[in-house]
Amino acid sequence: MSNGSLDRYLGDKVREALPWKKRIEICIGAARGIHYLHAGLKRTIIHRNISPPTILLDENMHPKLSGFGLSLMGAHFKEQSKPIQSEIIGRPSHLPLEYVRDGTVTHKCDVYAFGVVLLQVVRGTKNFPMSQELMGKSIIEENIDLKIKGKIAPECWQVFIDIALKCIEDEPDERPEMGEVEVELELALLLQEQADVTNINSYYTLSSKTIINPKSEWRWGFDDVATKLLK
């Protein structure tokens, strides 16, 4: 793709930072693509490798999913989804508890991974420090990418961060379907656009303090699987 991957626009050495609204638009497009894999085909496709490097950007900065080498075929459309047991592979920071614990794969693994991507987009980081987040020691608002700090309307932020945190819930059944994620991100973009119309200075202050609740079981799983995968 002519504009590389989303990964190219994250990190401290980025030459051209993506504006906040463009980041949301990219997330909406990626969510739409994942939703199609989960619900738009005769059989569910579980991507299993959702991360910034596998979200490519074309000449118009529209996202395209790639990296299907780890994908699995799930249940037929409208059939009850059944867990698949698989060898644990992938990026440790993007793996949910149930997969780390016993290799259980469902389409909700993709939802979890996408939730991590949403947090990476906010923080502007290639490597998301999940251990700090899950220990409850890091306030997300204090770690927003400096390149977009002050550009996020509070109304937009609340919708965006709420859906991101729902995506990384421990229990798969508590995570939303990707169709809901797509709709909520579209709402976040709309709220941002509406706020920008009335805010002449286009500078915003976020008074909220969002902390991800500590999840010791997940941390144990993360440390364990990270050790195995990074050997």
Side-chain angles (χ1 to χ4, degrees):
M1 286 288 176
S2 56
N3 280 307
S5 68
L6 178 58
D7 187 61
R8 175 180 174 182
Y9 299 89
L10 301 176
D12 297 331
K13 298 180 180 180
V14 174
R15 293 183 180 179
E16 185 179 352
L18 291 174
W20 170 237
K21 284 191 285 190
K22 176 55 65 177
R23 298 187 194 205
I24 303 177
E25 290 172 357
I26 291 171
C27 290
I28 291 171
R32 186 174 297 125
I34 302 169
H35 181 213
Y36 179 74
L37 295 179
H38 290 177
L41 301 167
K42 290 184 178 180
R43 293 187 66 175
T44 298
I45 294 178
I46 304 170
H47 189 283
R48 288 212 303 166
N49 194 19
I50 300 296
S51 61
T54 62
I55 299 174
L56 304 183
L57 302 171
D58 67 14
E59 64 275 9
N60 297 312
M61 297 299 285
H62 295 156
K64 309 290 182 182
L65 296 178
S66 66
F68 285 87
L70 303 180
S71 62
L72 294 174
M73 197 76 74
H76 285 279
F77 181 61
K78 292 186 178 180
E79 284 186 354
Q80 182 67 33
S81 178
K82 296 180 180 179
I84 301 170
Q85 299 304 125
S86 170
E87 177 185 359
I88 301 174
I89 52 178
R91 296 172 179 270
S93 59
H94 292 67
L95 304 181
L97 172 62
E98 70 275 11
Y99 186 40
V100 169
R101 188 167 48 197
D102 55 21
T104 299
V105 179
T106 68
H107 69 289
K108 291 299 183 75
C109 292
D110 286 347
V111 178
Y112 184 96
F114 187 69
V116 176
V117 171
L118 292 178
L119 295 174
Q120 287 178 283
V121 165
V122 164
R123 298 189 58 165
T125 54
K126 291 187 177 184
N127 300 310
F128 189 67
M130 293 298 291
S131 58
Q132 290 183 15
E133 300 298 329
L134 295 176
M135 288 172 66
K137 294 183 178 179
S138 180
I139 296 174
I140 297 176
E141 286 84 351
E142 293 180 356
N143 292 289
I144 290 175
D145 188 353
L146 292 177
K147 304 177 189 69
I148 58 171
K149 203 152 192 176
K151 300 297 183 181
I152 307 174
E155 304 91 334
C156 167
W157 172 252
Q158 200 57 60
V159 173
F160 185 95
I161 197 61
D162 281 352
I163 196 63
L165 295 183
K166 286 180 181 178
C167 287
I168 62 169
E169 284 285 352
D170 264 0
E171 293 299 325
D173 290 342
E174 294 181 7
R175 297 173 206 148
E177 298 292 340
M178 285 306 301
E180 179 184 345
V181 178
E182 180 186 348
V183 169
E184 289 299 300
L185 291 175
E186 288 173 341
L187 174 59
L189 179 60
L190 176 62
L191 291 172
Q192 182 67 50
E193 291 173 338
Q194 290 176 341
D196 287 346
V197 170
T198 57
N199 187 347
I200 300 176
N201 296 323
S202 294
Y203 187 88
Y204 303 93
T205 300
L206 300 177
S207 58
S208 58
K209 293 185 178 181
T210 308
I211 298 176
I212 301 176
N213 291 329
K215 301 171 183 177
S216 58
E217 186 178 7
W218 195 100
R219 284 205 308 278
W220 169 84
F222 176 82
D223 292 340
D224 182 60
V225 75
T227 300
K228 292 179 181 178
L229 291 174
L230 298 177
K231 280 184 178 179

